[in-house]
């Protein structure tokens, strides 16, 4: 039943935008006739806004058409981990977390922070977020990689310029029936701990949070979102299975590339984008060459231009 509901939702999401575009186009055609009549100038602003909105909707649909991967329609699991650099990198990790939460909000997606470890002074040590909505993984998958920040650190008394790195990992949320992988319980270390909170946030009084470590690979999956230890364990296991499955797929991709003699332009986990706040303001995607000086807008979640260009480049590769 759940699978049928999802398929129905996907079909509706595919058909409705077409209907809205056709309807808007017909409305604008009829409205434009008013411009030739007496007093028609008063409609110029309204028609201009309609054309701008129609253009945005067509652009959004065009981006959607680029999503044809096996798991592109799935929800996304987003993991953010700061690199070396202490407080500065941890603060950058929290800035990226906010950026993606804002992006999801703008897209109408639901988000749930499954796990978050706050740093001592500022920022976060790690965070895992579930982004729920059609095509969430398809849009976010190319955000995986290292994000570089250059700025004058607010944590440096000498006001020196610092460079910080944060790694973003993105996986599709897969159901058990979709994952053809077995995990040996003997390969797992399960730790329980109290859910963390910052400042006045609610902190669980019981050790309901779960951290599962897969010893052969070193992969760690945590969840502290629920008061129930059992449900946190279920979600942590789902995250772990998803990451192990993703690891196996990437191994097969590398084997195939070696067989056909291809090399990727960008290695997994390499730097994909730079965010420069000082001495000038510029964000540049190193895979596509797309750049913008509107730094505040991007950090406020407006990253669709980067997402689209990354999808286009991957298809044309």
């Amino acid at each position: 039943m759940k699978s049928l509901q999802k398929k129905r939702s996907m079909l509706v999401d595919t058909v409705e935008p077409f209907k809205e575009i056709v309807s808007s186009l017909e409305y604008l055609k009829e409205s434009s006739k008013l411009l030739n009549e007496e007093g028609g100038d008063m409609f110029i602003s309204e028609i201009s806004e309609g054309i701008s909105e129609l253009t945005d909707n067509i652009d959004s649909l065009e981006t959607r058409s680029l999503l044809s991967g096996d798991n592109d329609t799935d929800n996304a699991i987003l993991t953010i981990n700061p690199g070396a650099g202490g407080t500065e990198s941890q603060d950058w990790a929290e800035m990226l977390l906010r950026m993606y939460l804002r992006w999801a909000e703008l897209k109408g997606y639901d988000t749930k922070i499954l796990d978050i470890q706050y740093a001592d002074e500022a920022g976060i040590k790690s965070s895992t977020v579930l982004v729920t909505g059609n095509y969430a993984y398809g849009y976010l998958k190319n955000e995986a990689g290292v994000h570089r920040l250059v700025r004058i650190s607010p944590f440096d008394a000498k006001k020196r310029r610092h460079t910080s790195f944060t790694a973003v990992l993105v996986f599709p949320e897969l159901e058990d029936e979709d994952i053809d992988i077995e995990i040996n319980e003997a390969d797992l270390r399960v730790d329980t701990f109290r859910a963390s909170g910052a400042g006045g946030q609610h902190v669980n009084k019981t050790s309901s949070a779960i951290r599962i470590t897969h010893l052969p690979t070193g992969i760690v999956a945590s969840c502290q979102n629920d008061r129930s230890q059992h449900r946190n364990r279920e979600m942590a296991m789902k995250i772990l299975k998803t990451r192990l499955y993703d690891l196996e797929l990437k191994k097969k991709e590398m084997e195939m590339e070696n067989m056909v003699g291809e090399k990727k332009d960008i290695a997994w986990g390499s730097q994909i984008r730079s965010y420069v706040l000082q001495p000038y303001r510029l964000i540049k995607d190193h895979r596509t060459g797309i750049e913008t000086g509107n730094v505040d807008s991007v950090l406020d979640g407006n990253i669709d231009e980067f997402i689209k260009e990354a999808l286009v480049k991957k298809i044309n590769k």
Side-chain angles (χ1 to χ4, degrees), residues 24-67:
S24 296
L25 185 59
E26 290 300 319
Y27 174 77
L28 287 171
K29 281 182 179 179
E30 292 300 317
S31 298
S32 64
K33 295 176 182 178
L34 297 174
L35 297 177
N36 298 321
E37 298 179 5
E38 186 177 351
D41 291 352
M42 63 184 297
F43 296 103
I44 290 178
S45 178
E46 180 183 342
I47 293 174
S48 295
E49 289 178 7
I51 292 173
S52 178
E53 184 178 344
L54 178 61
T55 302
D56 289 343
N57 289 339
I58 292 173
D59 189 61
S60 177
L61 196 60
E62 183 182 12
T63 304
R64 174 81 63 85
S65 70
L66 301 173
L67 304 177

Side-chain angles (χ1 to χ4, degrees), residues 25-26 77 79 92 95 127 132 144 147 160 182-183 185 188 203 216 224 227-228 232 234 240 257-258 267 304:
L25 185 59
E26 290 300 319
I77 297 173
T79 298
W92 172 223
M95 289 169 65
S127 182
T132 305
H147 297 247
R160 290 170 294 190
E182 294 184 5
I183 298 178
E185 287 289 332
L188 302 179
V203 180
Q224 57 172 297
R227 286 178 175 272
S228 165
N232 282 334
E234 281 187 344
L240 179 62
E257 286 168 6
N258 290 333
D304 280 345

Side-chain angles (χ1 to χ4, degrees), residues 11-129:
L11 289 172
V12 170
D13 274 4
T14 300
V15 174
E16 287 303 316
F18 277 107
K19 288 183 177 180
E20 290 177 8
I21 286 173
V22 171
S23 177
S24 296
L25 185 59
E26 290 300 319
Y27 174 77
L28 287 171
K29 281 182 179 179
E30 292 300 317
S31 298
S32 64
K33 295 176 182 178
L34 297 174
L35 297 177
N36 298 321
E37 298 179 5
E38 186 177 351
D41 291 352
M42 63 184 297
F43 296 103
I44 290 178
S45 178
E46 180 183 342
I47 293 174
S48 295
E49 289 178 7
I51 292 173
S52 178
E53 184 178 344
L54 178 61
T55 302
D56 289 343
N57 289 339
I58 292 173
D59 189 61
S60 177
L61 196 60
E62 183 182 12
T63 304
R64 174 81 63 85
S65 70
L66 301 173
L67 304 177
S68 57
D70 291 340
N71 301 113
D72 282 355
T73 62
D74 292 338
N75 300 331
I77 297 173
L78 186 78
T79 298
I80 300 174
N81 295 297
T87 301
E88 179 67 18
S89 293
Q90 291 162 352
D91 189 56
W92 172 223
E94 188 168 32
M95 289 169 65
L96 282 176
L97 173 61
R98 179 186 178 277
M99 182 182 80
Y100 288 118
L101 291 176
R102 285 287 295 124
W103 172 83
E105 182 182 347
L106 292 170
K107 300 293 282 188
Y109 289 153
D110 292 326
T111 56
K112 181 185 291 185
I113 296 179
L114 302 176
D115 180 59
I116 189 164
Q117 302 295 323
Y118 290 99
D120 296 331
E121 185 176 347
I124 58 174
K125 294 180 179 178
S126 67
S127 182
T128 300
V129 181

